[in-house]
């Protein structure tokens, strides 16, 4: 294919996902048909099916797009120079804010998240692993600079992410929104304290 | 009322809850009727309604009973003497084990938990607050003994519980059961590290 037709293919795929996401948010995943999406784009359903095997594949593409936006922002913060502790705070706060904006707030979004967790579970797990690795990179930077003292980087990254589930997981964000609990800054303080150098003679993990 | 009739009243209430819990587990909450429960006990539905206003009240009673068992065990561990760190580990491990046994494993239990979270939310919140207070008591004991160094006990208790959501919350236990993540002991190590005395000059929370 020539460069121009490759771009048109990519653009069309993107346009389908943009329209699909809007319709899923407005009328819900179950009620949206491939014909609805095609009609919005003034193309035939057959043309949509050239790019996606099924409605499920479209949903997976929308989920991948939303998660990709969070991953790009996370990577940007991890790649910056400067002390690790403030960047870890910014990274975690950003993930919380972006997940809240994308996935929490109305029943249509709840429906999208539930479907993603049931049908696109591979995509969700890959995303969580990438976020954990990004957080792990910042922790490694902090350990190298002496800001953090960490026996096992992989375990520290897994525990830090697990400790933030209430602020990262769309279903937990929604459930615990107006319930008593620590603020996100208090939780991040708690995690930073765990990563910080120990007093001599204190219990080592 | 005499002592004997008070005991009979309490016993009958308990028997209704025992049978209700068994039927909810076996055939599910939605499919179980008050008439089913009454029939198992060889009493009339009217007699059941003397003790509980509605099926919802029965469900709430079953949930309260299950949560009460966990609270009693937690209190027992908190009341024991001895170093706080091992008791905090035992307390958190016990809550995880008991919640897994009670609420995770089959779809009928998922249904019970979902209904509790929607309809008995007050009971769930009161339970979570009591568990947080119990964990806070053990942290306070550790702080008094110099095992832990904690700026704000309430915040430390909230953060410790929040960090354990993956191991405490029935829906999170079920969802993350066979997925990559820290072991419960690694997570408890992480929390103990956060509570441990800091190195001089390290970042204080």
């Amino acid at each position: 294919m020539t460069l121009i037709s490759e771009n048109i293919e990519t653009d069309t795929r993107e346009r389908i996902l943009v329209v699909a996401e809007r319709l899923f948010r407005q009328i819900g995943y179950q009620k949206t048909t491939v014909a609805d999406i095609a009609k919005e784009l003034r193309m035939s359903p057959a043309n949509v099916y050239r790019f996606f095997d099924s409605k499920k594949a479209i949903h997976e593409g929308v989920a991948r797009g939303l998660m990709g936006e969070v991953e790009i922002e996370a990577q940007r913060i991890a790649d910056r120079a400067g002390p690790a502790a403030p960047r870890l705070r910014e990274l975690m706060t950003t993930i919380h804010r972006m997940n809240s904006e994308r996935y929490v707030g109305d029943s249509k979004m709840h429906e999208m998240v539930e479907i993603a967790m049931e049908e696109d579970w591979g995509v969700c797990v890959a995303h969580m692993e990438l976020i954990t690795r990004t957080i792990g990179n910042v922790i490694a930077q902090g350990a190298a600079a002496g800001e953090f003292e960490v026996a096992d980087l992989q375990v520290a990254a897994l525990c830090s992410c697990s400790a933030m589930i209430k602020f990262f997981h769309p279903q937990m964000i929604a459930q615990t929104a107006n319930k008593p609990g620590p603020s996100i800054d208090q939780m991040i303080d708690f995690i930073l304290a765990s990563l910080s150098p120990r007093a001599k003679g204190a219990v080592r993990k």
Side-chain angles (χ1 to χ4, degrees), chain A residues 12 21 31 42 48 52 61 81 90 125 134 137 147 163 174 190:
Chain A
T12 307
E21 185 193 331
K31 288 191 183 311
R42 293 190 177 80
V48 174
F52 295 94
E90 187 185 344
V125 168
T134 309
N137 287 344
E147 289 177 69
F190 191 81

Side-chain angles (χ1 to χ4, degrees), chain A residues 48-67:
Chain A
V48 174
Y49 281 117
R50 281 182 52 215
F51 295 89
F52 295 94
D53 288 340
S54 58
K55 188 173 138 184
K56 176 184 178 328
I58 295 174
H59 187 276
E60 199 175 274
V62 169
R64 260 310 311 149
L66 291 169
M67 292 175 192

Side-chain angles (χ1 to χ4, degrees), chain A residues 23-112:
Chain A
L23 292 179
F24 293 161
R25 283 179 191 277
Q26 283 174 355
I27 65 182
Y29 175 75
Q30 305 289 5
K31 288 191 183 311
T32 303
T33 63
V34 175
D36 291 330
I37 297 168
K39 191 173 166 187
E40 283 285 312
L41 287 159
R42 293 190 177 80
M43 59 176 73
S44 66
N47 201 36
V48 174
Y49 281 117
R50 281 182 52 215
F51 295 89
F52 295 94
D53 288 340
S54 58
K55 188 173 138 184
K56 176 184 178 328
I58 295 174
H59 187 276
E60 199 175 274
V62 169
R64 260 310 311 149
L66 291 169
M67 292 175 192
E69 291 171 356
V70 182
E71 291 163 9
I72 285 168
E73 203 48 37
Q75 194 59 51
R76 218 180 44 75
I77 295 166
D79 286 346
R80 281 209 322 256
R87 279 186 302 116
L88 188 58
R89 184 183 301 274
E90 187 185 344
L91 173 50
M92 292 178 157
T93 305
T94 298
I95 293 166
H96 168 68
R97 179 177 49 77
M98 291 181 83
N99 282 359
S100 301
E101 286 167 354
R102 273 152 190 69
Y103 304 117
V104 181
D106 61 55
S107 61
K108 305 291 187 307
M109 292 318 298
H110 281 224
E111 185 193 40
M112 266 190 66

Side-chain angles (χ1 to χ4, degrees), chain A residues 66-189:
Chain A
L66 291 169
M67 292 175 192
E69 291 171 356
V70 182
E71 291 163 9
I72 285 168
E73 203 48 37
Q75 194 59 51
R76 218 180 44 75
I77 295 166
D79 286 346
R80 281 209 322 256
R87 279 186 302 116
L88 188 58
R89 184 183 301 274
E90 187 185 344
L91 173 50
M92 292 178 157
T93 305
T94 298
I95 293 166
H96 168 68
R97 179 177 49 77
M98 291 181 83
N99 282 359
S100 301
E101 286 167 354
R102 273 152 190 69
Y103 304 117
V104 181
D106 61 55
S107 61
K108 305 291 187 307
M109 292 318 298
H110 281 224
E111 185 193 40
M112 266 190 66
V113 169
E114 279 212 51
I115 286 158
M117 305 213 53
E118 282 162 33
E119 301 201 8
D120 311 326
W121 186 240
V123 167
C124 295
V125 168
H127 169 69
M128 290 186 275
E129 286 177 347
L130 196 145
I131 291 298
T132 303
R133 273 202 303 281
T134 309
I135 283 171
N137 287 344
V138 180
I139 292 174
Q141 293 158 19
E147 289 177 69
F148 302 148
E149 192 177 270
V150 171
D152 184 325
L153 278 170
Q154 170 68 356
V155 170
L158 286 172
C159 288
S160 299
C161 288
S162 207
M164 288 300 289
I165 266 188
K166 199 174 109 104
F167 298 97
F168 286 175
H169 191 311
Q171 290 172 336
M172 289 293 101
I173 296 172
Q175 249 188 47
T176 63
N178 300 313
K179 310 295 184 296
S183 71
I184 189 170
D185 275 313
Q186 288 170 337
M187 198 65 228
I188 294 170
D189 286 342

